[in-house]
Amino acid sequence: MSEAEAVEAAAVWSANILTILTIYVTFTFGYLVTAYFVGARLTPFQTLVVSGLYLSAAVLTILSAIGYTQAQVKILGSVPTVLDDVYLVTSGELWITYLGIMMPLGLVISLYFMWQIRHPKKK
């Protein structure tokens, strides 16, 4: 693979990663809005279904984002490119670590938010 092909392929993988992140943020926002406005009125079964669907979708996008980032790192690492000197932006370890912390943390916080809505503190 030539340098130009590697850079082009890495750009395609970057676009895929950004699309995955956009999808993740969109349905996380949808889950949080649902939790806020109707979470307290959902039946236990409805809460289980909504949270289960959210959990499944979030885990799939997290795995996809990390996998796509690993693929991009392999592509850029296979050929020396002009991007080698731009360490912070192209550092695969940085992005894999960041995505591996940020996305699961958002998942856990979202599920906890639903739990808080369904179990308000008594005053």
Side-chain angles (χ1 to χ4, degrees):
M1 176 182 297
S2 71
E3 177 182 2
E5 290 170 330
V7 170
E8 182 180 9
V12 170
W13 285 95
S14 291
N16 290 339
I17 295 163
L18 288 175
T19 300
I20 290 168
L21 288 173
T22 302
I23 292 168
Y24 172 83
V25 168
T26 300
F27 65 69
T28 296
F29 182 75
Y31 179 75
L32 293 172
V33 168
T34 300
Y36 184 78
F37 286 110
V38 298
R41 294 188 307 264
L42 294 174
T43 66
F45 176 73
Q46 291 168 336
T47 304
L48 182 67
V49 169
V50 170
S51 296
L53 287 172
Y54 171 67
L55 181 66
S56 299
V59 167
L60 287 173
T61 56
I62 291 166
L63 295 174
S64 296
I66 292 171
Y68 275 50
T69 305
Q70 289 172 332
Q72 181 190 34
V73 168
K74 287 233 185 239
I75 290 168
L76 287 174
S78 67
V79 177
T81 68
V82 294
L83 299 176
D84 289 345
D85 295 331
V86 189
Y87 179 74
L88 184 61
V89 175
T90 61
S91 170
E93 293 78 23
L94 170 76
W95 288 108
I96 291 168
T97 302
Y98 176 73
L99 292 173
I101 293 170
M102 189 241 352
M103 292 177 80
L105 186 61
L107 167 72
V108 170
I109 290 170
S110 297
L111 292 171
Y112 181 68
F113 181 79
M114 174 67 92
W115 185 85
Q116 278 189 315
I117 294 294
R118 301 220 5 106
H119 301 89
K121 290 183 180 178
K122 306 284 188 217
K123 290 186 179 181

